Structure formats: C-alpha cells, structure tokens
C-alpha cells in the first residue's frame, strides 16, 4: 500500500511504473472503480486492518483525539482485526513500513500492536523523512538509518522477511503488509524545518521524466461550489507541475521494489503460490477543483485509488468495473485463506469467480458451506479434509502453470503453500460441546486441531455487482480546508439512467473515467483497459513513446530482467556484426527463442533536463491562465493574486456565436485509414472485436459522434491474418468546432500508437500501426507527418512460440497435400508491409521427421530466417505469414513491415532484390541447422482478391449504466449530486434538476449504507460499538431493513413507482451541527428514528 498515490492523474502509467504494469496489470486483475470510503491516511489504514468502515471503527482523523495510532489502540481495535484473524488461521503475519499516524514508541502510552509475528514499522519523527527513516522492530529501540533511502530499506526488509518465512521450519503460509511512504510529501520536524514539501525521489531517479506533464483534467482550476467555502488556491501552475514530477519520481523506487520482490519470490519457487495486491491509502488532487493539493474530499481524484491483483487462478491482463472498496481487501484475504470472513467485517470478498469465470478458490471450500463427500455427507471438518485439501491445492497449481498464470508484487502479500493443510475451525464454549460449528466441523477435538485455529465460516455472499458504498468524513485534520466540514455521501452504480437516454450515456461513456457499456454491468472482466486506462485514468497523451515496461533510458541496465538484457545484447551484436554473428549464435547452439514478448526500447534522449522541466512548468502555467480566463467568462471569481483581465463582451459574444455556428453545420465524415501488422495472425472471429475496440478508442481521442468501419473491401483482413486495414468514417460531434475535430483526427493519424495504447496492441497482437486521413471533401490531408511503427524500435527477434502462438502455429503451418492455392498478395499486405516468397529445398531424408511436428519446424526456421532477412532488408518487423512444407520446393512467405510509410518504397525495393536472389540471405550454418539443401526464387503472388468476411455475430452486451454520487454536508444542509458518466469530473451539481423520486432513494440508501454494520446485520445500525441487537443494517444488503419481504435487492427495483410513498416518507438525513468527530447525536435520519422506536 502506497501513501497518497493517485489513480486519476496517471501515476500508475507504464511509463512511470513499468514493473507494476508488467508484473500486476498485465499479469493479473485491475479494478477501475476501487475506492476508499474515508480519504485520509489513518482512517484508510484502519479500514484495511479492521475490515470495518470508519463509522464502525471510529478512527476518523490522522490526529488526536479522534484519530491516529493512539485512538486506534485506545479502542482496543488490535484485539480483533486482520492480523489476529490470520494468526488464528495458521498464518505468519508480518508488517514493514508505515503503520498508523503519530506512532511514537517513546510515548509512555505506547504498547505493541497485537497480531504480528514480525512488526518492523516506521516511527515518529522519522516516518516522512525519505533519506533518514527510523524503524522499530517488534517494538524495540528505534533504529535511525541516516543516509538510507526509505523505500529501498523497506524493499530489502520485505525481501528478507519473505526469505525467512519460506525457510521457516514450521512451514506456515505468510501475510506480508508492505507500506512505503511514497509519494507522500516529505515532512521534516527532526531538522527543525517544519511543514511539508515535495516528496524526495531516490538520487538515481532525480532526473527522470523531465518531460512529464501534470494531466490537466477538465476540472483543473475550476472552482468548487461556493457553499463549500473553499478559496481558489491555484495561484500558478508552476508549483503543481514540480509537485507532480516529484511524486512520479518518488514512485519509481516503489516500482523497483515490485520487481525485486517478484524476482525473490520467483527464485524461491513461491511466485505461483502467491496472491499479490497493490493499492494506495487514498488518492490525491493537484489543481483539481482549484485546490492546489490534498485529499479528504469526496472527489473522484481523492477517493479513487489504484487496485491491481495477481495470483493463482487470476487471468492475465483483465480489467473490471466492479466497484470495490478498501474494506473488501481484508474480506478477500480471509476468503482466499480458506478461513472465511468474520461477521464483524463490513466488506465482501472480491467476487473473483464471477469476474473471472475460470477462477477457483485455492482450497476446496464451497464458500460458507461444508464440503460434500461422494457419499453426500458433510466433511467440512478440516481434520477430515487435510489430505484432500493438499491435493486440490497441488492440482490447482499444476493447472495454473500450464496456463501461465503466476503471481506477485508490492502491496499485501498472501502466500498459500501447496502443502498447507488448511485451517481448523475454532469452536467456542457450548458450541464445541454441542459439536456445532461452521462448516460442519463440530467433531474437531483439541487434539485434532493441534493448536491451529481459524474463524468460523461466514454465510454465502452476493457475487453480483456491488451497487453502493459510503463515503464519509468528519472534519478534523491539519488541513483546515476540511476542518468542521463533515459530510456523508454514497456512490451508487446502477442501470437506472435519470438524466438522459441510453444513447446519451453510451455516447458519454467512452470519454469518461468509468467503464464501457458492454461490460460495465456484465459479469465478466475484459482483457485490456478502456480509453486512457493503460495504467491510469487520464486520457491525455504523454510525451514520448508509450512504455511497455522496458528500459526507458533512465534505468540502470542492472535493473533489467536477464532475458531482456540478453535480448538487448544479442540485438546489438546482430546490428553491429550482421548476419555472420547471428549464424555464429546458431552454430554455438544459442537459444534465440526468448521467453517473453517485449520490445527493447532504445534509450530515449531527454535532452537538457532543466530546459525540459522549465518548458513543462511553463505549459502548465499557461493552461492555468487559460482556465482562469474561461472561468471569468462564466462569471466565476478570479483566483487571489491574479492580474488577468476579463475578455471583452465582443470576444465573449464571438466565442458563443462560433459554438452556435459549429453546432449548426451538418456532420460530415472524416476518413481515417489504419494499417495493422500482426505478430500473431488475426482471425476472422476476433477482427470485428478489434474494429469495435478501435472505434471506442478513436472516439476518446477525437470526440467523434460516430465511428463506422467502411464495408469490405475497403476494410479487410488479409488472408492468413498477417495484416489488416480498417477504414474508419468519423463524424464530428455536436458542438465541436470543425477545426478542433480535424486537428484531433490529424493527431491520431500522425501518432496512432499514442491513442491506441499498449494493452490494446498487446491484446490484439499488433506489431505495427500506421495511419492516413482525409477531410470530408476528399482533399489532401492537413498533415504530412509520417506515422510510425507502434513500437518505436521494433523487437530484435520475432515473438516467442509460446501460449496461443503455439496453437496458432499448429493451424497456420499445417502440411497440406495437395498444396492449397496460394493466397492473394493483396490479401496478405497493407500500406506498411510487403511480401517476400522464398523456395526452400529441404533434404528429402529429413522430411519424415519434420512432418511429425511440422508446426515446430516452420516456427523455428521462420524465426531464424526473419533475423537474417531483417539484417539484409532493413525491415522493422518480419513474420512468417505462410509455410507450405508439402510443396517442392517448400514455400515460405515472409511478411515484412516498414517503420513508416516513407520507408515502404525502400523496403519493397530491398525485398524484391532478395526475392530474386534469396541465396544472399542465408549461408551454410542456417542450411545445416534446418536440413536445407538450398533456396530458389519464387514469383510474387497474384490471385483474385479474398472473399468478404462472414457477418459479425450478435454481441452479448450488458446494459449501459452510470454511477451517482450523492453528498450531504453539515454546512446548512448543502447537497450535491453528480452523474459520473455524463459528468465524470464532477462539474455540474444536478440537485436542482434531479427527480424527487431519485433524491428520495439516494438519501435513504446513503443513510442505510452509512450506518451498516458487518456482513450479517449485527449491531444497532446507528454507529454504536455494540455487537448485538436486532434491526441492524447489513453492509452486504442495505435494502433488507427497508424491504424486509426481500422484493427489492437493487437500485433499479427500488426505483419502482410502487415504492415512492415509502421513500418519500423517510426522514431525510441531516447534520444538526458540524463537529470534529463522529457523534451519532449530531445526525438526524430515518435510521435514528427507527432505533428510538
């Protein structure tokens, strides 16, 4: 868990955090709607460890008396929380890094938190000193490490504890909680400096990313509602840009920690048995809503945080819009441990079996119910199922290895050993005597348990979409902007669309920050993120090439994985010494089929660091000036200290007239032609899906109202799937000026890889993209910039023959007799590529053995041939498009791609020379390795064009939806309502126009979820600390108290007019006064009224 890391300002972008994206985002699950209910450090961490919302754990602040370590400990929360639950389940529990705010072992009140086998925590006053951290291990004397970088120390400690846990003779699985301070500001009271400044990166990272720009979202420098009493703090964009750059630089050490821990787990053989979760305690804002920096408010930038998870059974590179919360992490950990979720916990396990249909829990528990034997009797006793549980875990592990699914990174680590026998059930008091207990484990005796304990199993849980969660804050903080400004809020995601038609929401969704309509309310995740979400929310392009997790020029070469370092070295040798070096590698028996598919980036020159930094700061400042000018046009007050003049009335009228004129123009389609080259053949079933995904991304990049692929043959997939062309017709959206739309289309054509990001390209196996465009009148395009290869420097070797590629090879390289007719040349190439046919005379004596596994032979020979062909032709990419081993001579057709349209003529000329004299490509080592007697020229292919593809099958799409955020403040009862699809940056308060029926439901459910307690409805439902009583509100089903007959279980059902009278008659929530703490008697609601009754 990082500290104050944003999700909506691109801090997790692969350019900044390549290891996070390689080891978690591309190897696991990303939740795009993961929130924290109370966006402050100590309350958030208290939620993580207690599994309870702030209104239940009552740690509401970072400082005393209403928050901090001291409030947490004074309430005894460490007697019944996540680490003690895990210890009872047989786990070794470990913590390293920041624990809770204001923790000082020298204070006479200090005592050691319970539940930790290893507790190595940062302590005051050294917590926020990047280069002078102080640690207390197991509550011993503070060790101050002057001159050591805090994140690096935490990384080394974490690796040490992993190694010790795996080497321990007791063989217990472990839970490791790792909490670095990055990218929190540095706060120095040790050196009498006082206050807080920018975060401090490691010395080796101090010059990284000089070109990086703070994402200027639409709410940048836009004043919040006057009722919040917030001044417009953004006096200049210069400081914001410096702060942003310092934050992403400080996170690079965290990213390196991820790689370090993954390598450690892999080397120890534990990676495939490890669940790994990465998140942050809260988000952060920089200039959003005209606030210079900070958290604690309800805005999306603040409450939405990164969430990445990988581990056994979790499909690679999946993205889901399931609405999760920090309170769900402990519930998920307990579910995965096999011990079950205690009823005290407010959260629900992330529904992995529903989001990922192939997922299976690592234990043979049917969640919340006993395991049935073949005879149909309950055998939930862990003592009776130890052997079976062990076998299930081992078998699941083998299956995961076959599928290539692994696990690991920074965050909360949970290892489940294949030999772990599973937890026994703790039975207390009369239940043990009665033989009654969770999972039917009543026959477990003390001798059978052998001192191993666990929690009772929880009942079944709802695996559907999580509809709602509370957002709550009681204003007591060092940040005086929030002091005495209490609010309660609810975030409800639903298919009920109150402010437009389904078409309106469908059009808005691609340009928002939530999800896509086709999966937002479906049950499955998808294999790559939507617009701008390749590791961050913001869709604004970054300067420089998109990063694939490889070297960006700022890393020491020693940080590169061995396979990538080896690839770089071999590529350099091939480039420097040509074909002879590649042949020498063959003779030496070197394996050239590398084990991962990643482009090796050339170091990207940043030029003069100071000059680039100054340019970026000047740009942000200019944008601040522009937003100030726009705000004044709208009649908003200027920021303090600004001397900008207001535009004249004539200028304002001219701008308004231009908008009206633009809206009056009839829409005319622009033509954008995209040429794709694949490193794995595209098939006809996936090609329509790629077109649809391309259109969504193009919509986000251009603001187009419609994107329609032109019919065949303008848009067509090459025979064999080596390349494709998509001709997209884009129509300008209403209200968008013609010039702006044309410029946006031109930008995409000039750099398509920047707008069709890496996860999209990886998912569709795209090696290269190029584009051209034409305005509606068919005249020459307004730009002559040459589009470039999707990966600016192509991979030195073809992709490895693993996974789905192996299956592809078996299909594409089948030996046929008689030989099929050759495919059309026009159907094998596009605007970037050309073909090179070559005849191979294979030794007849070797043919019988080759035909045993023709796909393997064709794949290996094609890979090596491509290395040599590229060295001779200068091609940017090469792939074996077709191979016919039944012909005499055998026919190999290679598809060569240029790096840009400008390079195509030279490539085709070189390919033609090689076609006429293929013997110049190869030499004796190549022939000997593949039992080839010689090569011969073949004519270029020419046959009739390919037939059109089959019609696209109907799609199964979920219904479009939205998320509402409803907020009630203590200041005069001020209320806010935002529709997060139509208004993703929370600029338009919809309270004045909202239907009363909608407001009635939102208010009632905000109250219900704001007073919920536990997953079983225990508690009085009004925030007391008791754990008994009836009539409470379960956090897993807040509808139950309102609809005891069970006829309502969703917001859409609650919106039925039959329930209007019920909701209209409920008392609306209101604060009686603003306070510094959570005091139930300062709140009035229908829940409080029912409690009195």
């Amino acid at each position: 868990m990082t500290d104050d890391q944003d999700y909506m300002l691109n801090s997790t972008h692969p350019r900044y955090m390549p290891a996070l994206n390689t080891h978690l985002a591309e190897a696991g699950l990303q939740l795009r709607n993961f929130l924290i209910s109370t966006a402050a450090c100590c309350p958030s961490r208290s939620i993580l460890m207690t599994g309870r919302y702030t209104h239940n754990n009552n740690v509401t602040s970072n400082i005393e008396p209403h928050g901090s370590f001291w409030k947490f400990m004074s309430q005894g929360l460490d007697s019944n929380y996540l680490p003690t639950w895990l210890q009872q389940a047989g786990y070794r529990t470990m913590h390293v890094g920041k624990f809770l705010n204001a923790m000082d072992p020298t204070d006479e009140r200090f005592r050691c938190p319970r539940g930790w086998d290893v507790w190595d925590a940062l302590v005051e006053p050294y917590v926020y000193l990047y280069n002078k951290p102080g640690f207390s291990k197991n509550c011993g004397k503070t060790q101050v490490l002057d001159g050591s970088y805090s994140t690096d120390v935490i990384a080394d400690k974490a690796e040490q504890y992993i190694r010790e846990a795996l080497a321990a003779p007791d063989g217990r699985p472990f839970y490791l909680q790792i909490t670095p301070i990055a990218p929190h500001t540095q706060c120095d009271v040790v050196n009498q400096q006082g206050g807080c400044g920018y975060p401090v990166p490691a010395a080796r990272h101090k010059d990284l990313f000089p070109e990086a720009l703070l994402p200027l979202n639409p709410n940048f420098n836009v004043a919040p509602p006057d009722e919040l009493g917030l001044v417009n703090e953004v006096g200049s964009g210069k400081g914001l840009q410096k702060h942003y750059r310092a934050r992403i630089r400080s996170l690079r050490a965290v990213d390196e920690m991820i790689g370090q821990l993954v390598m450690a787990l892999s080397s120890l053989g534990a990676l495939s048995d490890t669940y790994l979760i990465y998140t942050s305690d809260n988000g952060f804002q920089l200039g959003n809503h005209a606030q210079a920096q900070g958290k604690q408010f309800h805005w999306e930038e603040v409450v939405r945080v990164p969430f990445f998870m990988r581990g056994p059974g979790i499909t690679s590179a999946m993205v889901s819009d399931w609405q999760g919360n920090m309170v769900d992490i402990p519930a998920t950990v307990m579910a995965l441990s096999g011990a079950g979720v205690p009823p005290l916990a407010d959260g629900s396990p992330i529904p992995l079996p529903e989001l990922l249909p192939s997922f299976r829990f690592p234990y043979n528990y049917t969640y919340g119910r006993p395991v049935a034997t073949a005879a149909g009797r309950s055998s939930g006793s862990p003592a009776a199922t130890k052997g079976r549980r062990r076998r299930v875990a081992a078998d699941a592990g083998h299956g995961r290895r076959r599928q290539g699914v692994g696990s690991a990174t920074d965050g909360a680590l949970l290892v489940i050993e294949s030999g772990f026998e599973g937890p026994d059930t703790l039975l207390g008091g009369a239940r043990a005597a009665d033989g009654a207990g969770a999972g039917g484990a009543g026959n477990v005796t003390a001798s059978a348990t052998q001192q191993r304990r666990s929690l009772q199993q929880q009942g079944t849980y709802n695996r559907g979409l999580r509809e709602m969660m509370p957002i709550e804050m009681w204003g007591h903080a060092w940040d005086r902007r929030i002091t005495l400004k209490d609010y309660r809020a609810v975030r409800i995601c639903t298919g009920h669309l109150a402010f437009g038609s389904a078409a309106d929401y469908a059009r808005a969704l691609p340009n928002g920050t939530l999800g896509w309509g086709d999966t937002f309310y479906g049950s499955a995740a998808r294999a790559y993120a939507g617009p701008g979400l390749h590791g961050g929310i913001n869709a604004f392009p970054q300067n420089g090439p998109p990063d694939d997790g490889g070297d960006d020029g700022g890393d020491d070469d020693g940080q590169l994985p061995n396979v990538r370092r080896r690839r770089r070295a071999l590529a350099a040798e091939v480039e420097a010494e040509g074909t002879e070096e590649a042949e020498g590698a063959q003779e030496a028996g070197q394996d050239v089929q590398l084990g991962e598919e990643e482009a090796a980036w050339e170091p990207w020159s940043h030029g003069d660091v100071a000059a680039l930094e100054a340019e970026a700061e000047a740009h942000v400042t200019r944008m601040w000036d522009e937003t100030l000018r726009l705000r004044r046009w709208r009649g908003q007050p200027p920021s303090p200290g600004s001397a900008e003049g207001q535009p004249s009335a004539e200028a304002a009228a001219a701008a308004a007239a231009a908008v009206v004129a633009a809206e009056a123009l009839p829409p005319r389609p622009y033509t954008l032609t995209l040429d794709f080259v694949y490193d794995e053949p595209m098939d006809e079933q996936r090609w329509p899906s790629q077109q649809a995904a391309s259109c969504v991304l193009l919509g986000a990049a251009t603001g187009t109202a419609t994107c329609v692929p032109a019919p065949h043959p303008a848009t067509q997939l090459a025979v064999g799937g080596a390349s494709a062309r998509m001709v997209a017709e884009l129509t300008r959206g209403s209200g968008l000026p013609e010039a702006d739309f044309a410029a946006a289309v031109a930008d995409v054509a000039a750099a398509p890889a920047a707008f069709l990001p890496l996860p999209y390209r990886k998912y569709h196996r795209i090696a290269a993209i190029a584009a051209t465009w034409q305005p509606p009148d068919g005249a020459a395009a307004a730009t002559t910039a040459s589009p470039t290869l999707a990966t600016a420097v192509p991979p030195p070797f073809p992709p490895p023959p693993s996974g789905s590629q192996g299956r592809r090879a078996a299909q594409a390289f089948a030996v046929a007799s008689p030989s099929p007719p050759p495919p059309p040349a026009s159907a094998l190439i596009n605007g970037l590529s050309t073909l090179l046919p070559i005849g191979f005379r294979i030794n007849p004596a070797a043919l019988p053995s080759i035909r045993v596994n023709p796909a393997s032979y064709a794949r290996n020979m094609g890979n090596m041939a491509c290395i040599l062909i590229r060295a001779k032709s200068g091609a940017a990419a090469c792939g074996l498009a077709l191979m016919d081993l039944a012909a005499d001579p055998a026919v190999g057709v290679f598809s060569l791609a240029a790096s840009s349209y400008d390079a195509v003529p030279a490539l085709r000329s070189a390919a033609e020379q090689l076609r006429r004299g293929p013997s110049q490509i190869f030499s004796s080592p190549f022939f000997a390795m593949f039992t080839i007697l010689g090569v011969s020229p073949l004519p270029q292919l020419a046959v009739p064009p390919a037939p059109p593809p089959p019609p696209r099958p109907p799609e199964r799409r979920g219904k479009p939806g939205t998320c509402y955020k409803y907020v009630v403040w203590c200041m005069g009862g001020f209320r806010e309502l935002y529709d997060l699809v139509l208004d993703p940056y929370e600029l338009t308060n919809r309270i004045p126009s909202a239907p009363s029926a909608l407001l009635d439901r939102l208010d009632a459910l905000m109250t219900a979820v704001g007073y919920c307690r536990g997953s079983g409805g225990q508690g009085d439902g009004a925030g007391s600390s008791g754990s008994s009583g009836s009539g409470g509100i379960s956090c897993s089903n807040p509808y139950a108290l309102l609809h005891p007959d069970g006829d309502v279980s969703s917001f859409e059902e609650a919106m039925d007019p039959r329930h209007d009278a019920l909701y209209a008659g409920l008392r609306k929530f209101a604060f009686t006064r603003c306070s510094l703490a959570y005091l139930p008697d300062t709140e009035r609601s229908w829940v409080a009224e029912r409690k009195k009754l």
Side-chain angles (χ1 to χ4, degrees):
M1 173 190 278
T2 50
D3 199 334
D4 290 1
Q5 183 175 4
D6 64 86
Y7 185 55
M8 294 189 67
L9 297 180
N10 263 351
S11 70
T12 59
H13 193 283
R15 171 96 181 119
Y16 308 140
M17 301 193 74
L20 171 67
N21 283 269
T22 297
H23 297 305
L24 268 81
E26 296 177 16
L29 172 68
Q30 177 183 177
L31 296 182
R32 303 196 314 177
N33 278 280
F34 194 81
L35 287 88
I36 175 62
S37 291
T38 304
C41 296
C42 197
S44 174
R45 291 162 193 267
S46 298
I47 292 172
L48 172 67
M49 288 190 283
T50 66
R52 303 166 69 186
Y53 287 121
T54 302
H55 64 260
N56 287 327
N57 67 48
N58 206 20
V59 178
T60 60
S61 174
N62 289 338
I63 57 179
E64 294 186 82
H66 306 300
S68 80
F69 173 80
W70 308 110
K71 177 66 177 294
F72 187 97
M73 299 296 285
S74 69
Q75 297 183 122
L77 294 176
D78 65 329
S79 64
N80 191 6
Y81 69 146
L82 180 61
T84 60
W85 302 340
L86 286 167
Q87 280 188 338
Q88 293 169 11
Y91 278 76
R92 176 189 298 267
T93 57
M94 301 177 289
H95 170 90
V96 58
K98 178 179 173 181
F99 190 66
L100 293 171
N101 296 62
M103 186 182 65
D104 182 359
T106 65
D107 192 301
E108 62 182 10
R109 299 172 294 172
F110 179 80
R111 66 173 175 84
C112 215
R114 301 180 182 97
W116 299 102
D117 293 288
V118 176
W119 185 81
D120 200 348
L122 285 165
V123 297
E124 296 293 353
Y126 306 99
V127 173
Y128 296 117
L129 291 179
Y130 278 85
N131 288 300
K132 193 176 182 178
F135 291 85
S136 173
K137 183 175 180 180
N138 294 334
C139 304
K141 184 179 179 181
T142 299
Q143 180 187 22
V144 179
L145 303 175
D146 196 1
S148 297
Y149 191 67
S150 178
T151 305
D152 293 345
V153 174
I154 291 172
D156 292 341
K157 286 176 176 285
E159 181 178 352
Q160 173 190 341
Y161 297 143
I162 289 173
R163 293 182 180 276
E164 291 175 356
L166 292 175
D170 59 14
R172 286 186 295 163
F174 70 83
Y175 170 87
L176 173 58
Q177 188 168 280
I178 307 169
T179 53
I181 60 171
H184 196 284
T185 53
Q186 166 150 297
C187 301
D188 187 352
V189 296
V190 175
N191 299 312
Q192 305 301 318
Q193 294 183 6
C196 298
Y198 299 143
V200 179
R204 63 188 180 277
H205 301 145
K206 65 181 180 63
D207 292 328
L208 286 182
F209 318 126
E211 80 297 337
L213 283 175
L214 166 67
L216 305 177
N217 290 337
N219 59 20
F220 178 75
N221 202 24
V222 176
D226 294 338
E227 289 83 353
L228 301 188
L230 300 174
V231 299
N232 298 345
E233 296 181 335
V234 185
S236 167
K238 188 174 183 180
L240 299 178
Q241 171 63 20
K242 288 183 176 179
H243 193 170
Y244 180 72
R245 192 165 49 233
R247 284 171 56 84
I248 60 175
R249 285 171 172 170
S250 72
L251 283 167
R252 194 53 176 257
V254 176
D255 193 66
E256 291 175 355
M257 182 201 311
I258 295 171
Q260 177 180 341
L261 299 182
V262 168
M263 295 298 288
L265 287 164
S266 179
S267 68
L268 295 168
L271 183 57
S272 62
D273 291 321
T274 304
Y275 284 98
L276 216 137
I277 297 172
Y278 183 97
T279 190
S280 174
D281 58 358
N282 48 256
F284 206 71
Q285 62 190 45
L286 281 171
N288 310 100
H289 301 281
Q291 303 302 293
Q293 63 175 347
K295 46 199 176 185
Q296 298 178 321
F297 290 93
H298 59 75
W299 297 314
E300 291 286 279
E301 291 84 3
V302 172
V303 300
R304 217 157 142 197
V305 296
F307 182 92
F308 301 90
M309 179 180 183
R310 70 172 287 177
I314 296 179
T315 312
S316 299
M318 300 302 287
V319 183
S320 174
D321 298 311
W322 185 78
Q323 185 173 218
N325 189 287
M326 187 69 70
V327 78
D328 298 325
I329 291 181
T332 301
V333 168
M334 293 309 299
L336 291 172
S337 76
V341 185
L344 176 73
D346 295 334
S348 298
I350 295 169
L352 297 172
E354 187 71 14
L355 300 178
L356 309 171
S358 62
F359 179 84
R360 296 295 181 269
F361 280 99
Y363 296 106
N364 63 346
Y365 280 108
T366 298
Y367 188 76
R369 295 189 296 275
V371 179
T373 65
R377 293 177 299 148
S378 170
S379 67
S381 164
T385 59
K386 285 181 179 178
R388 180 153 47 120
R389 202 177 271 130
R390 180 163 54 249
R391 288 195 298 273
V392 170
D395 291 342
H398 291 312
R400 290 191 295 273
R401 283 190 286 275
R402 284 195 297 270
Q403 297 169 12
V405 177
S407 61
T409 180
D410 169 23
L413 293 172
L414 176 65
V415 169
I416 296 178
E417 306 263 17
S418 61
F420 178 45
E421 294 182 341
D424 295 323
T425 302
L426 174 65
L427 303 178
R431 294 190 182 182
D434 295 340
N443 59 338
V444 181
T445 65
S447 59
T449 63
Q450 298 178 349
Q451 306 304 315
R452 175 165 290 178
R453 302 182 301 162
S454 77
L455 303 168
Q456 296 184 44
Q457 289 283 13
Q458 161 78 353
T460 58
Y461 67 96
N462 179 11
R463 290 179 175 174
L465 175 72
R466 154 76 82 34
E467 269 199 336
M468 71 187 78
M469 62 181 60
I471 303 172
E472 50 199 15
M473 178 64 68
W474 292 270
H476 181 225
W478 296 122
D479 186 348
R480 295 191 176 183
R481 293 175 302 176
I482 195 68
T483 300
L484 283 174
K485 294 178 182 176
D486 309 335
Y487 67 81
R488 280 189 179 271
V490 66
R491 193 178 189 267
I492 292 183
C493 295
T494 174
H496 178 80
L497 309 179
F499 300 103
S501 66
D504 295 329
Y505 281 86
R507 282 193 296 268
L509 199 55
N511 294 313
T513 67
L514 295 178
W516 290 357
D518 58 349
T519 56
F520 193 60
Y521 290 100
S523 62
R526 58 184 169 279
Y528 57 90
L533 291 183
H534 48 300
I537 285 289
N538 186 272
F540 293 90
Q542 301 293 313
N543 290 341
D547 194 280
D548 71 337
D551 179 42
D552 63 357
D555 279 343
D556 185 273
D557 190 61
Q559 300 294 327
L560 291 175
N562 290 336
V563 67
R564 192 180 300 153
R565 190 182 303 112
R566 179 179 173 208
R567 170 178 285 173
R568 173 178 291 180
L570 287 176
E573 291 172 0
V574 171
E575 182 176 357
E577 300 181 28
T579 304
E580 294 180 2
E581 184 68 21
E583 293 169 351
Q586 287 182 332
E587 287 185 301
Q590 294 182 8
D591 177 17
V592 297
Q593 297 180 33
L594 299 176
E596 67 178 32
E597 181 191 358
E598 292 179 338
W601 288 93
E602 292 293 331
W604 185 41
S605 174
H606 293 313
D608 181 73
V609 171
L612 283 171
E613 290 180 353
E615 181 181 350
E617 291 163 10
H619 172 78
V620 175
T621 299
R622 286 194 298 271
M623 294 306 297
W624 174 83
D625 293 338
E626 184 63 24
T627 57
L628 174 64
R629 192 173 299 112
L630 290 172
R631 189 166 70 237
R632 286 182 166 175
W633 281 17
R634 300 173 183 139
Q636 297 184 11
S639 296
S642 172
E644 287 291 332
Q646 186 170 348
S648 65
E650 292 79 6
V659 171
V660 173
E663 291 179 343
L665 291 174
R668 299 180 298 166
Y670 285 62
T671 301
L672 179 68
T673 301
L674 296 168
D675 285 320
F676 302 98
V677 174
Y678 302 98
D679 57 25
E680 175 184 330
M682 171 64 67
D683 57 59
E684 293 178 346
Q685 287 71 38
R686 292 185 295 129
W687 170 230
S689 175
Q690 186 201 335
Q691 295 177 60
S694 302
C695 272
V696 174
L697 292 168
L698 293 175
T702 65
T704 181
T706 61
C707 170
V708 180
H712 183 86
T715 295
Q716 67 168 302
L717 176 65
V719 171
S723 62
R725 167 168 284 184
M726 174 181 170
V727 178
E729 296 178 351
L730 310 179
T731 304
R732 175 178 56 84
S734 176
L736 187 63
E738 185 88 19
D740 292 349
F741 182 66
V745 176
D747 288 344
V748 174
F755 300 94
L756 301 173
L758 186 68
Y760 158 89
R761 300 197 305 271
K762 281 193 171 184
Y763 181 72
H764 294 295
R765 313 293 300 198
I766 296 171
I769 310 175
T772 58
W773 72 286
Q774 284 189 333
D777 57 8
T783 178
T784 58
S786 176
T788 57
L789 197 68
T791 50
V793 178
F797 301 125
S802 61
S804 60
Q805 290 179 318
R807 293 190 294 274
R808 175 265 298 178
Q811 298 167 0
F813 301 134
V815 176
S817 181
S819 300
S826 61
L828 279 174
I829 62 174
N830 62 13
L832 273 181
S833 57
T834 190
L835 296 177
L836 175 59
I838 298 175
F840 294 93
R841 299 193 302 277
I842 300 175
N843 189 335
L847 282 176
S849 61
I850 290 175
R851 286 172 176 166
V852 172
N853 191 353
S856 176
Y857 176 86
R859 181 172 62 245
N860 294 333
M861 190 268 282
N863 285 348
M864 181 54 66
C866 268
I867 295 175
L868 305 177
I869 291 171
R870 286 182 59 193
K872 288 290 186 179
S873 67
C878 170
L880 182 60
L882 293 171
M883 187 74 185
D884 183 4
L885 294 173
D888 186 18
V891 176
V893 180
F894 297 87
S895 177
L896 312 183
S899 60
S900 68
Y901 286 134
D902 294 339
V904 170
L907 174 64
R908 290 181 176 171
S909 175
E912 177 61 18
Q913 294 180 14
L914 296 178
R915 184 191 67 79
R916 293 177 179 179
S919 59
Q920 62 185 297
I921 305 172
F922 311 104
S923 56
S924 55
F926 175 86
F927 293 149
M929 176 172 284
F930 297 103
T931 63
I932 294 174
L933 302 177
V935 292
S936 57
L938 293 178
Q940 282 288 8
L941 305 177
V943 294
R952 183 176 181 175
E955 296 183 357
R956 297 178 59 187
R957 305 175 72 89
K959 61 188 301 182
T962 190
C963 292
Y964 299 114
K965 186 182 290 180
Y966 175 74
V967 191
V968 179
W969 290 84
C970 69
M971 301 90 71
F974 177 62
R975 297 167 188 254
E976 297 175 273
L977 172 60
Y978 300 100
D979 185 315
L980 297 179
V981 166
L982 299 181
D983 180 24
Y985 297 99
E986 298 165 284
L987 297 172
T988 303
N989 184 0
R990 296 185 180 269
I991 287 289
S993 61
S996 59
L998 176 68
L999 295 177
D1000 289 342
R1001 270 73 166 183
L1002 290 172
D1003 192 276
L1005 292 169
M1006 181 201 72
T1007 306
V1009 76
Y1011 288 140
C1012 76
R1013 178 178 295 277
S1015 52
Q1018 292 184 334
D1020 56 25
S1024 77
S1025 59
S1027 59
S1028 63
S1030 60
I1033 301 173
S1034 166
C1035 293
S1036 63
N1037 185 12
Y1039 294 101
L1041 194 60
L1042 289 163
H1043 300 276
D1045 54 2
D1047 65 334
V1048 171
S1049 60
S1050 72
F1051 190 80
E1052 289 180 81
E1053 292 172 348
M1055 286 300 300
D1056 190 305
R1058 294 181 297 124
H1059 306 302
D1060 284 353
L1062 167 65
Y1063 285 97
L1066 295 175
R1067 178 164 187 163
K1068 301 300 180 283
F1069 179 87
F1071 292 94
T1072 60
R1073 63 182 176 89
C1074 296
S1075 63
L1076 294 176
Y1078 173 37
L1079 304 172
D1081 61 358
T1082 65
E1083 301 176 349
R1084 297 289 180 266
S1085 67
W1086 65 268
V1087 172
E1089 286 184 342
R1090 292 197 178 191
K1091 180 186 176 185
K1092 292 177 182 179
L1093 296 176

